Amino acid sequence: MTQPSNDESTAAGEEDLRDHVEATRQELGKTVEALAAKADVKSRAQEKAAEVKGQAAAKAGELKVKAAQGARAARDHRALLLTAAGVVVLVWLARRRSKG
């Protein structure tokens, strides 16, 4: 086997160095992009506002469903609710008379 000449090993070393520099450049570019994204306060605030808006809409939807269920339950048990309200009024009147 023959040993590569000095020119060939130098060329291979230079090529490795170029590859390393290019990889480092790409990594640095990604790092700079990430830092720029973190520094963009306006965009981050808009993203957070959109997220909160979505959460609020979801919560509002849940509350509407619960309200509809409550209204349906009240409608279904109207007589029971009216009886309970009457009892509360009678108790209130009785306590008021006993104090006076």
Side-chain angles (χ1 to χ4, degrees):
M1 280 189 12
T2 60
Q3 299 248 341
S5 69
N6 197 15
D7 289 338
E8 289 175 7
S9 63
T10 302
E14 288 176 1
E15 188 63 32
D16 287 342
L17 186 57
R18 282 190 191 101
D19 291 343
H20 182 68
V21 167
E22 183 58 32
T24 303
R25 233 184 238 144
Q26 288 178 0
E27 185 179 329
L28 181 59
K30 289 177 185 178
T31 303
V32 168
E33 285 178 15
L35 288 172
K38 281 190 171 190
D40 190 0
V41 176
K42 183 178 178 182
S43 292
R44 290 176 61 202
Q46 289 172 342
E47 289 172 4
K48 185 66 175 175
E51 178 184 335
V52 169
K53 184 178 178 181
Q55 290 173 348
K59 193 65 168 176
E62 290 174 17
L63 291 176
K64 284 180 184 179
V65 168
K66 287 183 179 181
Q69 290 172 346
R72 190 174 318 120
R75 206 172 29 252
D76 293 345
H77 299 95
R78 185 175 304 175
L80 179 63
L81 288 173
L82 290 174
T83 303
V87 168
V88 168
V89 169
L90 290 174
V91 168
W92 176 73
L93 288 173
R95 291 189 78 197
R96 194 172 142 196
R97 266 195 189 149
S98 69
K99 287 183 181 179

